[in-house]
Structure formats: C-alpha cells, structure tokens
Amino acid sequence: MAHYDPPFEIHVHGEVSLHPDVKVGDVQEALKPLWQYAGARSLAEGSISAYEEEPGLQFDHRQHLLRMCWTVRGDEDFRRNIDDMCMNLNELASTGAPIEVTFYDAEYDEEDEEMREEDSRDDFMIVFVGPTPAAIMQVQRDLLVQDVIALMERHFDASELTGVVGEVDKLFTQRFDALVESLEIGKPPRGSGNGGHRGRNKPRHLH
C-alpha cells in the first residue's frame, strides 16, 4: 500500500468563553471533529499538538475557557471538520469568538529551486462561534473595525474615522435585520395547528 503524506500542516488557534455549567465531557464531544480527525480515541489523547511547543487543546474549567493552539497534518477535507466543530461550540459558547485556521503547504520549500516557480498553497481563514447570530456578528464587526482603523490610521487621525465606523455598523445592522426577517418568514402562522415539532434554529458560524 502506498504511503500517503498529508499535504498540509493545519493550525487551529483561538480562545472561546464557555458557559459556567460546561463540563469536560461537553468539551470532549464538541471537539470530537478535531481529535477524531487526528486519529485519537479521546480528547486527552487528541489534544496534543503535532508540535511539542504548542499547548494544544486546553479546557480551563476554572475560567470557563477553551484555548486552542493545535496543529494536525491533514487535507482540504479538514474544513468540514471545522464546520462541525463550530456547530458544536455554538451550543457551549457564552460569547462570540473568532477562531483562526491556517493551512501551511507541507510540500512547499522556499529553498528548493525546483519548487520556486510554483506558488505555495498556504491558506488562512477565520471562523466564528457564538450562542446567537447577534453575538457572532458582534465579534465579526469588532474585528472588521480593528482592521479598518489600523489601515486608515496610516493616512488619517483616529478622530476623523468616526464616520467610517458608523458606516461599518450600518452594514452589520442591515445584515442582522435581514437575518431576523428571514427567520420570521420561516415561522409557521400562529395557530396553524399542524402538530409538527419545530426545532430551535441552530445558527451556523459565519465566515
């Protein structure tokens, strides 16, 4: 059988505040898409990063924090596991939080002359988790404002950027209003009496 060498080193980095009643077992189940992808049989086994200097997947039950600084070898299919993890963490998170996911091209070598003409397949994305769509949008807005301010402060004083921040807030208000309207449209009329059970809308993370 041919040996398969995964093309990426995938690094997951972030910190998520959890509800006070969250237990170790809850975290283990929520992170199952990660540690199972690594070939582990439990969180304790799979929480260890591919690099010794990285703390891995840590649950601080005293501070109700999940800390992630964890690397695994893998492929593009890992993105599906990130989606599943975010869905799980939405149920445990007490506030919105960003999680950075970086794909490092394990086959790319800048020092290799034969590889210099080929582009690296490195990729980076930020996913968001939170207890509600509003909490997720809030942390998205905060990150965007930080990026915009950092960029524009090279050319303008901070006092001149109030209007820019206001426009960013308008965009997110419009997005949230549209989301609320779409959820309202999806509800059945009151007193429809169809007898069916409607599950609670579980927000997916927003890229």
Side-chain angles (χ1 to χ4, degrees):
M1 178 181 293
H3 175 70
Y4 171 69
D5 195 14
F8 294 103
E9 288 184 350
I10 306 168
H11 183 70
V12 181
H13 192 93
E15 184 174 283
V16 183
S17 295
L18 306 178
H19 292 295
D21 58 348
V22 171
K23 308 299 183 185
V24 175
D26 300 324
V27 176
Q28 170 163 282
E29 187 63 25
L31 297 183
K32 190 174 182 178
L34 299 192
W35 55 260
Q36 200 170 56
Y37 188 89
R41 291 172 293 182
S42 67
L43 175 60
E45 179 184 342
S47 64
I48 302 173
S49 175
Y51 292 98
E52 294 182 359
E53 63 270 22
E54 295 177 354
L57 306 172
Q58 296 184 332
F59 172 46
D60 186 335
H61 62 89
R62 292 184 178 180
Q63 297 188 33
H64 315 298
L65 284 176
L66 170 63
R67 299 186 178 95
M68 294 177 284
C69 182
W70 181 81
T71 299
V72 66
R73 294 293 295 260
D75 210 331
E76 289 282 356
D77 59 354
F78 185 74
R79 296 175 188 271
R80 182 171 61 252
N81 291 65
I82 285 293
D83 284 344
D84 292 342
M85 179 202 70
C86 288
M87 286 288 289
N88 296 340
L89 286 180
N90 283 342
E91 298 291 327
L92 307 184
S94 61
T95 61
I99 299 173
E100 300 175 353
V101 184
T102 309
F103 290 76
Y104 294 103
D105 189 346
E107 299 175 351
Y108 185 78
D109 185 354
E110 293 180 353
E111 302 301 323
D112 190 332
E113 294 183 358
E114 295 180 1
M115 296 290 289
R116 284 181 182 175
E117 296 182 358
E118 299 180 17
D119 293 332
S120 169
R121 294 173 297 171
D122 288 357
D123 195 13
F124 172 80
M125 65 179 184
I126 300 180
V127 296
F128 299 87
V129 298
T132 63
I136 291 174
M137 287 186 183
Q138 181 63 50
V139 73
Q140 284 183 310
R141 175 266 179 199
D142 292 345
L143 282 181
L144 180 57
V145 167
Q146 291 174 18
D147 289 343
V148 169
I149 294 297
L151 176 63
M152 298 193 68
E153 277 186 337
R154 302 174 189 174
H155 310 282
F156 301 92
D157 291 334
S159 60
E160 299 178 87
L161 301 178
T162 303
V164 175
V165 174
E167 290 302 316
V168 171
D169 284 337
K170 287 181 183 178
L171 291 173
F172 275 97
T173 298
Q174 292 170 6
R175 175 180 288 185
F176 182 72
D177 289 345
L179 175 62
V180 171
E181 182 179 356
S182 68
L183 293 177
E184 290 294 331
I185 291 175
K187 291 182 179 179
R190 291 186 178 181
S192 59
N194 58 13
H197 173 71
R198 294 184 68 254
R200 179 170 60 88
N201 285 307
K202 183 188 292 185
R204 291 190 67 87
H205 69 280
L206 304 176
H207 290 274

